[in-house]
Every structure is written in C-alpha cells, then in structure tokens.
Amino acid sequence: MRIYNISILFIFLFITNLSFAKNKIYLANNTAAVAIISTAESSYNLKITLTMQDDFTNWDIGFFMLKVFLDPVKTPFSAQICKQKFCAPLKVDTISDKPAKSITDYLKPELSFGHITLFKPTKLFKLEDGNTYVISIDGLKNIPKNITAMPQNLFLSVNDNESIIPIKVTGYSGYDNKDGSQKHNQDNWYAFDNPSTIDSIVIPYPQKTVFMPGTTKSTAAQSVHYCKPTDGLTQCTAINNQLEGYVLQIDTTGITIYTNTIAGVFYARQTLAQLTYYYKNIIPNQTITDYPHFKYRGFMLDTVRHFFSVNDVKKILDVMAAHKLNVLHFHVGDDEGWRIQLPHYPLLTKIGSERIFKGKIGPSNLVDETYDITNFSRQLYTKADMLYKGYYTIADTRDLVAYANSRQITIIPEIEMPGHAKALKKSMPEVFFDANDQSRYFSVQGYNDSVLPICKYGSDNKFTTAINGVITDIAALFAFQSTLNYVKNEVSLSGDEVPSGVYTDYTACNSGVYKGLSGEAISHEFFKQLSNNLPEYRLSGYQQLVQSEDGIIDTNAIDPRSTGHIWQWLTTTNLPVSGFEMSGNLSRAGYPTILNFADLSYLDMRYSAKWDEPGLYWATNQGDTFSALIAGLSPDHIFNTDNILGIEGALWSELVPSGEHLFYMITPKMAGLADAAWSDKTNLNWRSLATRLGCGKTGFLAYLNKQYNIRYRGYPNGIKLEVPANKLCK
C-alpha cells in the first residue's frame, strides 16, 4: 500500500511551546539554534549546520523524516557532530530490535520510533551559545529530491528529555532542481493520437451530448420521470438498466430528468449545476445521456496520520459528489492513531487517539509549516511535545454516514491488522500484546512492535472475542446505509505490509491451523478463520489480504464470496509482478477488485519534480492529473472481467497536516480520477479534460472554487501548471 523510497536534505525549525534549559524560558519564536541542512544531489549524506543560541550539555537532536534508514538497528550508517576538528560520534537513541518481554516494558514512553529519529552523542559534547557545529549523517536510505523528503521540525531534547526546544531551519539545499515540467506537460499533451471532439464541458465527461437550437433558463420548470419497464420511452431505453444513469433534457418545454433511481436524479442535478455555472443560468438546449463506466468510483481518506474534522470530511464529500464519486474509503485505525469511537472499547479512543513525545504513542508526521507552500493561512503545525489528538464520536460517525448517503456516497470503514496495529496494541495491551511473541521485525514505517499476535486467534478467548467485537462494533456504526452499492456489514481490515520476520519466534504459531505456515500464509489463514467465525460480515482489504507477493492467491485465503472489496495498490511497473498482473489474478479468482495503482491513483504523490513541490515520489516521479486520468486505460486483459468493479484514488496523510494541504493534493487530480472511473474508455482524453478544467476564470476548477471555496493546486489559474505553455492557458 505505501512503500517509502525517500531521501533527505534540510534547514530547520522554530519553537511554539514553553521549554526550560539553564533556567532560560523559551517562548514562541525563540529557538535553541538555527540550522541549515544540505546534501549533495548524488550523495546519501546529510549535513546539518547548527548555530547555537544557548548552552546545552545533556542533549539529543531529533527530527521527523520519512524512512531515514531502512532499519536503524541493522542498516550500517554513521553520524557525528564536529566543532572544527573536534568531533564526537552520534548514535540513534532508544531504538532496539529486542522485543518487549512484559506489558510494562511495552508501554515505556516513546522517544525515538517510526519516523521520529533522535541522535545522542556517545560522549560528553557541550553545545555553546554563538558557536557553529556541523552534524554529518552518512548512509541515508535515499537521496532527497524535495523538501518533503528532508528532515522536518528539528528540535533539541535536553536534560534527559525533560524539555523539547525547537531549532529554526533557515534553508534547505543540495538538490539541483531540474523538474522538467514543461517537457512532461508537452509529452502528455500529445499522448493521444486522435483527440476526440470536445462536445461537453461537464466533468466527468458524459457518455453522449446532443445540442439543439435555442436556450433555456436554469430556473425553468423541472420534472423527474422515473423509468418503468413498460414506458418504452427513447430516453429510458438509452440508459437501459443503468441504476445511476440519467437523461438530462433541456429544451423549450423546460428541464426533464429521466432515470431509474434517486441516484440518477442526483447525478443529473450535479451536471445541471455545472451547466448553470458555466452558462450563467442561460443554458444551450441539449440532451445529455449519461451513466458510469464503473459502479465503484472511490476515494480513500487517511484520517489517522493527520486527523480531519467532521466539517473537513463533509467538504470532501461535497467535492466527491461534484465529481460523481460514490465511495469514501474511510481509514480510521493505523499505527499512529485510532480515530473512531466504539461503544464497547472506549480505551481505543481514550488512549489511541492521542500522541505526544514520551506518551504511549509517540509523535509522528511533524510537518514544518514554514516550508509548506500549501499553508496559505499560515497555520502553526504540531511539534514533537504538543499533544496531537482527534477522533470521530459515535454521533459524528452517524452524521457523516447520513451526509454521505444523501450525496449517494457509501462509506466503507477501514482499520489495520495484523500489521499497522500499533495504536490498537498500545490502547489495550492486556488483550493485544503477547510477551510470548519474541519475533524480530522492522516495519516499513519504522516500528518493531506494530503487529498483532494473531496466532492467539481461536485459542485465546480474550483476544478472539476482542477482535470479533471491534469488527462488529465498527460494522454496526456504518450499518443501514441507503446507497446503491452499500455492502451490508463490510469492514476493511487492510491486511497489507506485514513485515518480514513476524511470527518466526512465536510459539503460538507452531500449533493448530497455523503450524508450518509462512508469515504471509499465517495472515491469510487468520483472515479466513475470522471470516468463518463472522459469516454475516464481509471482510475487505488490500491485495495482501488474500494474495502473496508473487501474485498467487493463497490456498488459505478467504473465499471471494465472503469479501466486500479487494484494493490492488501495487504500481503498474512493480517487479517482479506488476499491479496489472496482480489485479488480473484477483479478478479471475472471483474477487471484487478495485484498481488503486499507486503510480496512477495515489493522490499523495507530488505533481511535479520541483524542489518545493510537496508530496511523495516513491511510486512515480510525477503523479499529476494526467496520471489519474490514465488509470482508466488499463489493459483489456484486466478490464475484460466483471470482477473489476472500479477505480479508487488514495490520499495517505503522513505529510498532509491540514485541509488546505489536502485539497491542494486532490484537486485537480480528482477530476482525472473521475473521468477515468465514470467515462467510457474511448472518451478519455487529456486535452479534453484540461479544457474542461479551464484556465481559472471559467471551467470546472473555477466552479469548485466558487461552490466549495476550494483552493486547488494552481489557483487562480486553473490547469495552467499542467499544460504546455501557450497551448491552452495563454
């Protein structure tokens, strides 16, 4: 689902909390030091130049950075701090690969874990006010290519971690910014040999538009005709049995909607709202016949790494509805937090919704607001010693479900297991921690304590009952949805990124149904047992829920008829087995498959290779609107099965600290996704989509900005950043 191949460069931070050292009080805008962070373009080395603003004797230096090392315990690296020729080695503080042997040990305060790294001098090394020091770190996992990949929120942890004092970064340097955007845009512009005629300005592109003489006011009389098998009307025949289809007829008699369902009425009115805006209430007469290519058109929102308020989520639902997307895949439980209140498990939100330095769940994902170009309102982001918390109450969840359903959007809840389960384990360690599991592993996200001891399932009553109870509680909160594609009792358990090495030193896995199985197969067997014990529930997840890394469906996997959806996220170029092949295997085996290729539909990928452009690039160097559009052009050997249900875009929020940042990342990409999911393959055309998105004063992006106060990427100039110079937006 997410594999971080990132790199590092930076200059850093500032202070927002009260901290103490040498009886000096650090108030807002004061710092322990200023820093310049640099690396060479081809170097795996990092240099932090510190100019001190006070004296410190007992100190660590820390920062947030995605995947600094593959494994800080096992991967060779070296670090030191120097004042001219006087140097001292640095070591990573507090990280150990030794598993906890008791709950007390497991619940020790977290200092350096995951993406937060602390370096400590191996011998006494005093930092003195006014002096300059150089910290060198050699052996980085990757070469940083943008500020996102650099260390964020640098700080000193002093006096045995009693105080956290920010360090202000004054610049990042080291990467030669050859982003190649113009060539990239030029290549995309001519990617289609035979661009179709643009006969509609609507997004997503309708199946058929026929214009007629004259115009009609948008306030004209409006009527709805629900089609019946006996109607025999041409308009009803045109949409056949398409439940979300509609015919929108605008002529001298007024405005008429022909449809089979209330969903069709809703989508017709979304189209009408666009036409009303574009034509300023005087609409050319026309008949639009429209229905979706895919029944599933989804957006995955990660609310764990960064939390989004109920109002933020409602705005996201509004924007999804404008794009005619119909599934919110709602990620509410992961390593870094638990975001949904459950009636029978209050500790999950009481403990799991909070993180802070030295807390049960340590800090993570500390983005520096100074260098975030999406921070238009100049918000202050969370620091290491600030309490970060948030969750959706039971009332919030019910409110969101009703709000989504009124916009024809289904919400599918998602938590993580057996990996990515740190918050679950930390919240209820007496149930979900097992000291007998002494397996040594290190997850992609940098944890060695994040996997559930699933071999207890079926033999340990307390563990089994709790797992079942969490799932049934979640399903109950999202039950009784009124949308067309609602799957009763569906809960996604993810099942992805279980690190290698799990269960190798766990005696419970050497007996019963798990005996003799590999780590992958143990996970698959666990999900099958879970499904068998909860036959009324539909368990969903990523391809690892049922599929091995070689693309083969495990013989221990859940029956396809017991699953809700399987999302395939590997890239289209993944080796040795591509995302295309993975999807094909899943669909041919009967699984309800959703295409979610990371290189095409992960909306947290950066738009361009510019140095200050936010976003990740492990899946693709540039994940722009064009990339999202071509997610609908997968090979026929994937699309030729009824089990490919649709397409989804995903927004993982490790580096998305605010609603402003979120909408920058998803708009205009979501329009590419919408065309890919709704429109016929023959109508997918970048020049057409770019024209419909517009250049700022007109077009779909201007519509979104006006209707929903969305500040899209490129505002106020529409799609100008993603098209060749002078080709569209002059």
Side-chain angles (χ1 to χ4, degrees):
M1 184 166 58
R2 42 244 187 249
I3 304 171
Y4 305 109
N5 297 337
I6 331 177
S7 314
I8 308 156
L9 290 155
F10 69 108
I11 304 182
F12 232 68
L13 257 73
F14 54 79
I15 183 166
T16 56
N17 285 358
L18 291 177
S19 300
F20 299 89
K22 287 184 55 190
N23 299 317
K24 179 174 180 178
I25 299 178
Y26 293 88
L27 297 171
N29 300 320
N30 291 328
T31 60
V34 294
I36 295 176
I37 305 168
S38 61
T39 185
E41 181 179 358
S42 60
S43 172
Y44 291 86
N45 306 324
L46 178 70
K47 288 192 176 181
I48 306 171
T49 302
L50 292 175
T51 301
M52 301 307 302
Q53 297 183 345
D54 203 348
D55 300 340
F56 299 96
T57 301
N58 182 4
W59 59 272
D60 286 16
I61 188 167
F63 52 82
F64 161 68
M65 184 178 172
L66 289 175
K67 293 306 294 176
V68 182
F69 312 107
L70 183 63
D71 182 334
V73 175
K74 299 176 182 178
T75 302
F77 73 94
S78 62
Q80 64 176 1
I81 183 169
C82 297
K83 178 186 176 184
Q84 297 177 342
K85 294 184 178 180
F86 177 62
C87 300
L90 298 173
K91 66 176 182 178
V92 176
D93 196 9
T94 76
I95 289 183
S96 170
D97 67 340
K98 295 179 181 178
K101 293 186 177 180
S102 68
I103 289 180
T104 301
D105 190 23
Y106 182 65
L107 292 179
K108 286 181 180 177
E110 291 198 358
L111 303 175
S112 178
F113 247 120
H115 301 309
I116 300 293
T117 299
L118 278 176
F119 283 108
K120 186 179 189 68
T122 59
K123 60 183 180 182
L124 183 66
F125 192 97
K126 187 175 181 180
L127 302 175
E128 297 179 321
D129 188 6
N131 288 342
T132 297
Y133 303 85
V134 177
I135 294 175
S136 302
I137 305 171
D138 298 334
L140 301 179
K141 183 174 181 285
N142 291 286
I143 300 168
K145 294 182 179 179
N146 62 2
I147 292 177
T148 290
M150 299 295 280
Q152 306 277 307
N153 271 311
L154 210 66
F155 60 90
L156 285 186
S157 175
V158 300
N159 299 332
D160 295 323
N161 303 307
E162 288 303 314
S163 299
I164 302 297
I165 308 172
I167 297 170
K168 183 178 181 179
V169 176
T170 58
Y172 293 92
S173 66
Y175 187 75
D176 186 4
N177 182 21
K178 299 174 183 176
D179 71 290
S181 290
Q182 277 305 309
K183 183 180 186 307
H184 178 81
N185 293 344
Q186 192 82 6
D187 291 344
N188 289 349
W189 194 249
Y190 294 104
F192 297 94
D193 293 332
N194 297 304
S196 60
T197 300
I198 301 169
D199 59 6
S200 176
I201 57 177
V202 174
I203 287 179
Y205 195 83
Q207 297 294 337
K208 185 179 180 181
T209 302
V210 177
F211 288 93
M212 298 169 289
T215 60
T216 297
K217 290 184 178 181
S218 61
T219 55
Q222 186 181 123
S223 61
V224 176
H225 179 90
Y226 287 99
C227 296
K228 302 178 181 64
T230 57
D231 276 348
L233 293 174
T234 302
Q235 295 91 335
C236 292
T237 304
I239 56 175
N240 198 9
N241 295 319
Q242 295 284 342
L243 295 180
E244 296 176 293
Y246 65 90
V247 171
L248 177 62
Q249 187 169 296
I250 304 170
D251 58 24
T252 54
T253 65
I255 299 171
T256 308
I257 297 169
Y258 299 85
T259 184
N260 292 311
T261 65
I262 189 65
V265 176
F266 181 81
Y267 293 130
R269 287 175 174 161
Q270 289 295 317
T271 296
L272 183 60
Q274 287 189 49
L275 296 175
T276 299
Y277 174 79
Y278 300 148
Y279 291 114
K280 303 186 186 306
N281 301 316
I282 306 297
I283 306 173
N285 288 342
Q286 57 193 284
T287 298
I288 297 175
T289 303
D290 204 11
Y291 45 84
H293 181 67
F294 285 117
K295 64 181 290 187
Y296 183 109
R297 306 176 302 281
F299 172 64
M300 193 290 303
L301 175 65
D302 171 10
T303 67
V304 176
R305 280 54 178 273
H306 280 102
F307 179 72
F308 300 98
S309 70
V310 169
N311 286 338
D312 282 337
V313 178
K314 286 183 175 180
K315 185 181 253 190
I316 291 165
L317 290 165
D318 286 337
V319 173
M320 288 176 62
H323 288 83
K324 298 186 176 76
L325 302 184
N326 65 354
V327 178
L328 176 65
H329 181 181
F330 202 36
H331 191 79
V332 293
D334 211 301
D335 288 323
E336 294 82 8
W338 187 275
R339 303 294 181 204
I340 187 166
Q341 183 183 33
L342 300 183
H344 298 104
Y345 301 94
L347 289 176
L348 292 180
T349 42
K350 182 179 181 180
I351 295 172
S353 68
E354 300 183 350
R355 58 181 187 241
I356 190 171
F357 197 78
K358 295 174 65 177
K360 289 185 178 180
I361 301 175
S364 188
N365 312 308
L366 304 176
V367 177
D368 182 355
E369 66 265 32
T370 305
Y371 292 93
D372 181 2
I373 64 171
T374 77
N375 190 12
F376 308 116
S377 61
R378 310 317 303 162
Q379 298 179 50
L380 294 178
Y381 297 163
T382 306
K383 312 304 176 197
D385 60 340
M386 288 185 183
L387 179 64
Y388 187 86
K389 63 180 181 179
Y391 65 89
Y392 305 103
T393 66
I394 292 171
D396 289 339
T397 300
R398 290 172 176 163
D399 183 28
L400 287 173
V401 168
Y403 194 88
N405 285 186
S406 71
R407 286 150 180 78
Q408 302 306 312
I409 296 171
T410 306
I411 301 184
I412 301 174
E414 176 170 273
I415 60 174
E416 290 264 5
M417 63 177 67
H420 287 276
K422 187 181 182 74
L424 187 64
K425 291 179 69 176
K426 289 283 187 176
S427 299
M428 298 175 60
E430 72 285 353
V431 175
F432 297 123
F433 169 78
D434 188 349
N436 294 314
D437 184 359
Q438 291 294 296
S439 304
R440 298 190 179 195
Y441 57 85
F442 201 77
S443 75
V444 172
Q445 283 68 32
Y447 302 113
N448 63 8
D449 60 349
S450 59
V451 180
L452 290 176
I454 56 175
C455 293
K456 293 172 67 174
Y457 188 80
S459 60
D460 183 299
N461 184 63
K462 186 165 61 172
F463 181 87
T464 304
T465 300
I467 290 288
N468 292 346
V470 166
I471 293 169
T472 55
D473 261 16
I474 291 173
L477 287 177
F478 293 88
F480 308 110
Q481 298 192 55
S482 60
T483 49
L484 290 174
N485 57 1
Y486 167 60
V487 176
K488 184 179 179 182
N489 290 333
E490 179 180 11
V491 178
S492 172
L493 303 180
S494 300
D496 67 306
E497 291 186 338
V498 180
S500 61
V502 296
Y503 313 131
T504 55
D505 194 6
Y506 187 26
T507 54
C509 294
N510 295 325
S511 61
V513 295
Y514 303 106
K515 185 175 182 179
L517 300 179
S518 66
E520 272 187 327
I522 287 172
S523 290
H524 297 154
E525 178 64 36
F526 162 68
F527 288 120
K528 185 176 77 172
Q529 294 297 320
L530 196 55
S531 179
N532 290 343
N533 286 340
L534 299 170
E536 300 302 314
Y537 294 80
R538 292 293 171 264
L539 304 185
S540 299
Y542 299 95
Q543 74 269 8
Q544 291 97 329
L545 190 85
V546 298
Q547 195 171 29
S548 301
E549 295 300 330
D550 59 5
I552 303 302
I553 308 298
D554 199 316
T555 55
N556 299 300
I558 303 176
D559 189 295
R561 294 167 294 183
S562 298
T563 60
H565 298 91
I566 302 294
W567 295 274
Q568 200 300 123
W569 61 270
L570 290 178
T571 66
T572 59
T573 57
N574 185 72
L575 296 175
V577 184
S578 74
F580 288 143
E581 294 171 278
M582 284 284 199
S583 301
N585 290 348
L586 284 167
S587 60
R588 284 189 290 273
Y591 289 97
T593 304
I594 309 299
L595 306 180
N596 185 207
F597 306 125
D599 51 334
L600 302 181
S601 339
Y602 267 29
L603 307 186
D604 51 318
M605 295 294 122
R606 64 183 183 179
Y607 280 93
S608 77
K610 292 182 179 178
W611 174 244
D612 63 351
E613 185 73 58
L616 302 176
Y617 49 83
W618 63 265
T620 180
N621 195 46
Q622 292 190 237
D624 54 12
T625 309
F626 176 83
S627 299
L629 175 68
I630 63 175
L633 295 175
S634 299
D636 287 339
H637 77 275
I638 293 178
F639 279 170
N640 66 3
T641 169
D642 291 338
N643 294 320
I644 300 289
L645 301 187
I647 298 175
E648 180 167 281
L651 192 284
W652 300 104
S653 67
E654 286 94 340
L655 296 158
V656 183
S658 69
E660 284 181 321
H661 196 127
L662 180 144
F663 284 108
Y664 179 99
M665 298 305 296
I666 70 173
T667 51
K669 290 181 189 179
M670 189 174 276
L673 180 76
D675 257 20
W678 181 280
S679 306
D680 188 84
K681 286 177 67 175
T682 59
N683 287 332
L684 299 183
N685 180 275
W686 173 231
R687 272 174 268 183
S688 164
L689 175 59
T691 302
R692 286 175 283 133
L693 286 167
C695 295
K697 293 183 180 179
T698 60
F700 186 69
L701 289 175
Y703 169 75
L704 289 180
N705 174 256
K706 180 72 173 178
Q707 294 293 105
Y708 305 110
N709 194 28
I710 299 302
R711 184 156 177 168
Y712 56 84
R713 192 244 183 186
Y715 174 85
N717 299 312
I719 198 63
K720 183 176 181 179
L721 293 177
E722 296 190 57
V723 297
N726 300 319
K727 287 295 181 184
L728 183 66
C729 302
K730 299 181 181 180

